[in-house]
Structure formats: C-alpha cells, structure tokens
Amino acid sequence: INNTRSSNSITTSLTTAATDAQAGVWIKYASTNITGVTIGSSGNGNTITGFHDGIWLDDNGGSPTFATISIAHNDIESNYDGILADVMAATITARNNKIASNTNSGITNSTVMSFDAEDNYWGSDNGPAHASNVFNTSSQGNPVSNYVDFVPWLQTSKSGTSFQPILVSSPTGKFSNFT
C-alpha cells in the first residue's frame, strides 16, 4: 500500500484533546505491509492542530513492515504530541515542517530506531529542547525525545534557513554556540 495525504486542514475543537485517545493523522498497522506513506508534500502540506497526537505512527503491537514514512511541509501545532512514533520502519523522515506549540513534545519516539527530523522549525530559531542541545537553552522550541535526529534545524518557518550549531567535545555530544 502506498498512500499520500496533503492539502488538508485537520483540526478539533475538543478542549480535552490531551487526554482523549485521538490523532489528526493515524497510520496504524493492520495486516498489510505498508511500503510507503507520505503526509504532506512540497507546497501542499497539512495543518494538524488540537489533537492528542497530531500524527500517530502506530504498529498496533504487531510486527509490521513499513518501508518508508515521509512527513513534509506540514504545520503540526497545538497538539499534546506533535508526532508520536510507536513504529519500526526502515526510514522515517520529517522535513520542512513547522512543529510548534505542542504541549508535551514536538516528536516523541518510543522506539530505539533513529527518527530523521532534520530541517524542521521547532517554534524557535534555537531549535528544539533536548538535553544534547545546549544552544541558547533559555529560548528553545518544542522538545524532542531521544532517538530523534534534529540537527540541522530551520531557524524560521518551514522554508527558513537551515542552521547547524557547533558540536562540542566537552561535554561530549552537545550542540552549542560560541559563548
């Protein structure tokens, strides 16, 4: 199965979205291997707001085969989690999205596979909040969990300038600026 969703406005007006089990876009494994999923496309992204999970990638407790999942050019805002990844896939990428103002996290990856989330705007030109991002810690955007590759990030909107801070050797594996 290959599937593409783009140019939609997906919203809810529920005031308890953070406690309701709902998602704006829910990719759930059933019994068919999914070869490709695309959420948004260049110039035709989706607006996903007001849900518990803006996008939920769900393996449904099974052993699915997801070849590729691509999330691009979307506004994912004002959800509890912007993106929740509960799925193993060969490749998961999120590029050129605005992931901001989500109350818990921008991306929560509950697996140990890397989630490629480079070149997204996190609601701050200082990137997302994460223990490894010590770049201007007083003013960072939506947090991300471990196993999310967020560097480089966009400094403004979905088409902003890609920015990569300096990787410092002490403390090991941290991103910083010159100060």
Side-chain angles (χ1 to χ4, degrees), residues 2-63:
N2 273 303
N3 202 343
T4 300
R5 293 287 178 251
S6 61
S7 300
N8 297 293
S9 179
I10 306 164
T11 63
T12 182
S13 60
L14 295 175
T15 57
T16 58
T19 58
D20 293 340
Q22 62 180 11
V25 176
W26 186 12
I27 306 300
K28 180 178 178 181
Y29 171 75
S31 61
T32 305
N33 288 338
I34 299 175
T35 57
V37 175
T38 302
I39 304 168
S41 61
S42 181
N44 294 308
N46 301 290
T47 299
I48 305 167
T49 61
F51 293 93
H52 186 275
D53 305 308
I55 297 173
W56 183 14
L57 308 173
D58 178 14
D59 71 6
N60 197 28
S63 299

Side-chain angles (χ1 to χ4, degrees), residues 83-85 87 107-115 145-148:
I83 301 171
L84 175 61
V87 64
I107 297 177
T108 297
N109 183 1
S110 64
T111 75
V112 294
M113 293 190 69
S114 181
F115 187 123
S145 70
N146 291 332
Y147 303 106
V148 175

Side-chain angles (χ1 to χ4, degrees), residues 167-179:
L167 181 62
V168 296
S169 58
S170 179
T172 303
K174 305 288 184 179
F175 297 99
S176 187
N177 58 3
F178 289 110
T179 60

Side-chain angles (χ1 to χ4, degrees), residues 9-175:
S9 179
I10 306 164
T11 63
T12 182
S13 60
L14 295 175
T15 57
T16 58
T19 58
D20 293 340
Q22 62 180 11
V25 176
W26 186 12
I27 306 300
K28 180 178 178 181
Y29 171 75
S31 61
T32 305
N33 288 338
I34 299 175
T35 57
V37 175
T38 302
I39 304 168
S41 61
S42 181
N44 294 308
N46 301 290
T47 299
I48 305 167
T49 61
F51 293 93
H52 186 275
D53 305 308
I55 297 173
W56 183 14
L57 308 173
D58 178 14
D59 71 6
N60 197 28
S63 299
T65 301
F66 285 92
T68 61
I69 299 172
S70 175
I71 303 166
H73 302 279
N74 299 288
D75 291 322
I76 306 167
E77 303 178 87
S78 302
N79 302 287
Y80 182 71
D81 285 314
I83 301 171
L84 175 61
D86 284 330
V87 64
M88 304 293 266
T91 305
I92 302 176
T93 60
R95 290 270 194 282
N96 300 99
N97 297 287
K98 179 181 180 184
I99 304 172
S101 303
N102 297 292
T103 56
N104 183 54
S105 74
I107 297 177
T108 297
N109 183 1
S110 64
T111 75
V112 294
M113 293 190 69
S114 181
F115 187 123
D116 181 350
E118 295 178 0
D119 287 325
N120 290 292
Y121 177 66
W122 301 98
S124 167
D125 59 356
N126 297 317
H130 187 268
S132 68
N133 185 8
V134 294
F135 185 80
N136 294 334
T137 57
S138 65
S139 176
Q140 291 178 339
N142 259 177
V144 295
S145 70
N146 291 332
Y147 303 106
V148 175
D149 176 10
F150 57 85
V151 176
W153 60 75
L154 298 179
Q155 289 192 297
T156 57
S157 193
K158 296 180 295 192
S159 59
T161 302
S162 184
F163 174 77
Q164 182 160 345
I166 298 166
L167 181 62
V168 296
S169 58
S170 179
T172 303
K174 305 288 184 179
F175 297 99

